[in-house]
Amino acid sequence: MYYEFRKNTRSVKSTILHFQLRNLVWATSKHDVYLMSHYSVLHWSALSGVDTELMNVQGHVAPKEKHPGSLLEGFSQTKVSTMAVKDNLLVAGGFQGELICKHLDREGISFCCRTSHDDNALTNAIEIFNTSSGAVHFMASSNDNGVRDYDMERFQLCNHFQFDCPVNGMMRTENYGASSAAIGILQAYIAESRQKACSRRGGPS
């Protein structure tokens, strides 16, 4: 037996604006759940039964830290389309290409940027990962046909892969060295981050 039922709760409810949105609920341990509830990013503890609001994007959100490329004016009324939570880091992506980064062990927002001003810049997926050198990065895929790789120490854009179709998701793998696999609507690609090259692998997915 792999699982044993303990309890359930209806006191904390996630809200997802559209059926195609993904990764808006994260379980980072046996007891910690992060979720979107309307305009709030919440942390719910199964041990204490308490939910804590970490970020509210209904009003104005602006970074407290200064990093090159960060929009100090921030955003207002951001509609979150996807997010990722890992190792005390939270990254939320928006319908208009917004990226909002927060360290869970710090007060306030660390970094805000807009990946694109394209009319179709919805952020589809975000992945936080460690590179082979141990640095923490995150990747964001978008409907503007792009996958962007950011260094989370300085919040700088390291790589920008462009494809010929929207990228719904991606998977970081070390099987090809320092490579990343990006999955679009119709095609699957392998993008090599060191050479900044990408090649098509396989047919429709």
Side-chain angles (χ1 to χ4, degrees), residues 20-41:
Q20 286 183 316
L21 301 184
R22 53 188 65 85
N23 302 333
L24 292 173
V25 178
W26 284 79
T28 57
S29 76
K30 296 178 181 179
H31 313 294
D32 297 286
V33 179
Y34 296 83
L35 66 146
M36 282 301 305
S37 182
H38 300 289
Y39 282 93
S40 294
V41 179

Side-chain angles (χ1 to χ4, degrees), residues 142-147 161-167 182-189 198-200:
S142 172
N143 264 8
D144 74 344
N145 303 359
V147 174
F161 303 104
Q162 291 184 297
F163 302 92
D164 54 11
C165 61
V167 184
I183 302 171
I185 291 177
L186 297 176
Q187 306 292 343
Y189 295 85
C198 49
S199 59
R200 174 180 167 185

Side-chain angles (χ1 to χ4, degrees), residues 3-203:
Y3 300 99
E4 181 180 356
F5 177 79
R6 291 293 183 89
K7 63 180 180 180
N8 70 340
T9 180
R10 295 185 180 182
S11 63
V12 181
K13 295 182 180 180
S14 62
T15 54
I16 298 175
L17 298 175
H18 191 274
F19 73 95
Q20 286 183 316
L21 301 184
R22 53 188 65 85
N23 302 333
L24 292 173
V25 178
W26 284 79
T28 57
S29 76
K30 296 178 181 179
H31 313 294
D32 297 286
V33 179
Y34 296 83
L35 66 146
M36 282 301 305
S37 182
H38 300 289
Y39 282 93
S40 294
V41 179
L42 302 179
H43 166 252
W44 183 74
S45 170
L47 292 176
S48 65
V50 174
D51 60 279
T52 305
E53 184 180 71
L54 302 175
M55 183 169 63
N56 190 314
V57 295
Q58 184 173 15
H60 182 241
V61 174
K64 287 193 172 182
E65 302 175 19
K66 292 185 178 181
H67 298 279
S70 185
L71 293 176
L72 299 181
E73 65 272 22
F75 303 114
S76 296
Q77 295 184 328
T78 305
K79 292 182 178 179
V80 174
S81 56
T82 188
M83 68 178 187
V85 186
K86 183 181 179 181
D87 297 336
N88 266 335
L89 298 168
L90 163 68
V91 184
F95 274 64
Q96 297 179 347
E98 304 97 331
L99 287 176
I100 302 173
C101 304
K102 175 178 174 58
H103 287 84
L104 298 179
D105 55 353
R106 301 180 194 173
E107 291 292 328
I109 304 301
S110 297
F111 179 77
C112 289
C113 77
R114 191 181 300 276
T115 58
S116 172
H117 291 281
D118 191 279
D119 291 338
N120 194 12
L122 183 142
T123 310
N124 284 318
I126 296 170
E127 182 177 358
I128 300 171
F129 62 94
N130 293 91
T131 67
S132 56
S133 65
V136 181
H137 283 221
F138 75 89
M139 297 183 75
S141 65
S142 172
N143 264 8
D144 74 344
N145 303 359
V147 174
R148 295 165 176 85
D149 177 5
Y150 289 85
D151 173 7
M152 287 205 73
E153 181 180 355
R154 299 175 292 112
F155 295 104
Q156 294 300 294
L157 180 65
C158 299
N159 288 300
H160 180 195
F161 303 104
Q162 291 184 297
F163 302 92
D164 54 11
C165 61
V167 184
N168 282 345
M170 67 271 169
M171 178 181 62
R172 170 76 183 183
T173 175
E174 292 294 338
N175 294 337
Y176 299 91
S179 63
S180 305
I183 302 171
I185 291 177
L186 297 176
Q187 306 292 343
Y189 295 85
I190 297 295
E192 172 57 55
S193 60
R194 283 180 182 162
Q195 279 79 27
K196 295 187 180 180
C198 49
S199 59
R200 174 180 167 185
R201 302 289 175 89

